[in-house]
Amino acid sequence: MSATTRRLTTAQALVRFLSVQYTERDGVRRRLIAGTWGIFGHGNVAGIGQALVEHRDVMPYHQGRNEQAMVHAAVGYARQLNRLSAQAVTTSIGPGATNLVTGAALATINRLPVLLLPGDYFASRVADPLLQQLEHPVEADVSVNDTLRPVSRYFDRVTRPEALIPSALNAMRVLADPAETGAVTLALPQDVQAEAYDWPEEFFTERVWPVRRPAPDPVELRAAVAAVRAARRPLIVAGGGVHHSEAEEALRALVDATGIPVASTQAGKGSLRHDHPADLGGIGHTGTAVSDELARTADLVIGVGTRYTDFTTASGTLFQHPDVRFLNLNITGFDAHKLAARTLVCDARTGLERLTEALAGHRVEEAYEAEYRAGKERWERVVETAYRADDDSAVPTQTQVLGALDAVVGDEDVVINAAGSLPGDLHKLWRARGPRQYHLEYGYSCMGYEIPAALGVQQAAPGTPVWALVGDGTYLMMPTEIVTAVQEGLPVTMVLIQNHGYASIGGLSEETGGERFGTAYRHRAADGSFTGAPLPVDLAANAASLGMDVLRAKTVRELRNALAEARASDRPTCVYVETDPTPTAPPAEAWWDVPVAEVASREAATRARERYESQVAGRRRHL
């Protein structure tokens, strides 16, 4: 024990400790835990709640309305700041804690830091069972918080005050490590939260956590250079790691020097500006024609900061060159080794810089450059067609909504989406103008992410126009944080698109033999089907009732005017538009594996199975 101590409760000590933790990368220092979201109840109101009041001079507090949404807001914040700063989330011990699970899974899957502080049972067991306590018949130390173990990168239950010291330090280590980060959970028994302890003063001194930029191993680098020089049709797949590492300029320098084209995952879109001649747009199931055509003939695929999800690889059917090989540059060996790749386990920016230096003088063949540039030009005409509205007085289609938004946003704006049919349209069509403009959460594709994430982005980048693109299905999942936006004075803009159902899943259901069953918001007909008139639901009125300014747009012209007005507003604003459901987005350029019933009595499912079997035959295992 240090000779100098400070007597505080465990909760007070934790808040004070969090307030003096910093990250540092490239000489820039940031608060590691910049604020705390909270909903108070049984299990945290008298511990963490009191501590946040006690130390409100050093720890900003943000009041949420839904526990899952608070995690989404914190994730949006961390992503906007390239994982260099994060937020904490505190909840009660029961349903408040279990509501964290979805948000924690989203954070961990996307490799984004968030600190979770749920209340827990009494460590002393003097009150047992508590209100909301799970009683396990053979494991007395289990609580509902154990549901957070598989979705957390670090988990601990702090059952004694002094146990907080190593636990808190480990939590910071994981949050600040780009190779380890994700959701971190410190479960806090409510009696321990309130218990006083004599804390060593060193626990509250400023601590800086360096965010590493590890360089590639020289042997791996030589092998990578040889692979690139030998390739005739190399293709870079840019993932979210490019953004997290702030490696966009390093990527552009490599591309300018070598002529290697770039296709992007959902997380990596914007790694190059859309108008760079080597930027081919999205890749995979929701990719562009030019990206997917080149992917099928690429002899070397260079993955930079990507996890290679099934959408990116078209469920193992996209990369069809008979001798295709992979070179993966990733900060984690886990991701770098995917697809039996040659590896560069290193920071994205450092690795790209070293690769560019080592490839001095190397460039792809002129014919290959001419080929992909011509394909890019063809795809630009597809985008123009999808965006164009020949009649300004007509009801807009969904792609025309994107075209109208494209005409309004600036390079600094942030456009957020996560689920429904919009991710596919955006990945194919959106013209990303800056590294942070395109904010798609497609690792977990969580309905309800968009509105709270917009709050987190707005907190991370005050003064930046932030757009949450929300379908009616997603809106009904989680509109609660509209109230938080109004309370916090966060001028986010929500574009609420009403098409009366789950458009994306409806299309998938039809394609896989489900006949769009259960995917529309309509009255039930006499035969039991949901084919009647749309429900008389006014989502715009609901948004207004929660405190948003609402602009209704019925035509393309009204939509353009409403978007411009919303962007100029200093209040939370909703642009509401009902869209023409006629499909206007280009079809998928690559397959996605959704298994279809092997046997069925209905003709739709039988035909779908035949299509499925023809597609699955093209799958490869890259070994």
Side-chain angles (χ1 to χ4, degrees), residues 155-216:
F155 179 99
D156 194 14
R157 180 174 286 113
V158 183
T159 56
R160 293 180 59 86
E162 59 267 35
L164 177 66
I165 295 174
S167 184
L169 291 169
N170 274 318
M172 299 303 103
R173 172 186 59 80
V174 173
L175 289 170
D177 188 336
E180 294 291 332
T181 197
V184 166
T185 300
L186 298 183
L188 302 171
Q190 58 180 306
D191 55 345
V192 176
Q193 288 182 48
E195 188 175 342
Y197 183 72
D198 292 323
W199 302 90
E201 194 63 40
E202 291 86 350
F203 190 52
F204 307 113
T205 58
E206 288 190 4
R207 190 178 300 267
V208 179
W209 301 86
V211 179
R212 304 178 187 90
R213 287 196 181 276

Side-chain angles (χ1 to χ4, degrees), residues 441-590:
E441 189 289 295
Y442 217 60
Y444 210 42
S445 186
C446 185
M447 296 177 72
Y449 172 81
E450 295 90 339
I451 297 172
L455 272 59
V457 171
Q458 192 77 84
Q459 288 179 327
T464 298
V466 180
W467 304 81
L469 307 190
V470 180
D472 49 90
T474 285
Y475 180 85
L476 289 169
M477 287 278 182
M478 199 171 295
T480 53
E481 303 318 296
I482 289 174
V483 178
T484 304
V486 173
Q487 176 175 300
E488 298 262 339
L490 298 170
V492 298
T493 300
M494 175 176 65
V495 180
L496 177 52
I497 300 173
Q498 170 67 281
N499 56 25
H500 301 286
Y502 299 123
S504 174
I505 293 300
L508 182 61
S509 172
E510 185 173 34
E511 176 66 22
T512 57
E515 302 176 50
R516 292 186 178 265
F517 179 76
T519 62
Y521 295 157
R522 295 179 179 272
H523 287 287
R524 188 186 293 271
D527 65 356
S529 65
F530 293 91
T531 56
L535 297 174
V537 175
D538 190 340
L539 300 183
N542 180 261
S545 75
L546 296 177
M548 271 194 144
D549 293 345
V550 175
L551 305 172
R552 295 176 183 259
K554 296 181 179 180
T555 67
V556 174
R557 182 184 302 109
E558 290 178 0
L559 175 63
R560 289 176 182 147
N561 293 337
L563 292 172
E565 183 178 345
R567 189 173 187 274
S569 176
D570 61 358
R571 276 188 39 78
T573 303
C574 168
V575 176
Y576 174 83
V577 57
E578 292 199 39
T579 55
D580 180 341
T582 304
T584 52
E589 299 289 340

Side-chain angles (χ1 to χ4, degrees), residues 314-328:
S315 299
T317 64
L318 185 58
F319 305 111
Q320 288 297 321
H321 191 289
D323 298 318
V324 65
R325 290 294 181 265
F326 296 84
L327 168 63
N328 291 339

Side-chain angles (χ1 to χ4, degrees), residues 396-416:
T397 65
Q398 182 162 285
T399 59
Q400 288 168 351
V401 172
L402 299 184
L405 184 61
D406 175 76
V408 169
V409 300
D411 290 8
E412 72 278 14
D413 293 32
V414 179
V415 176
I416 300 173

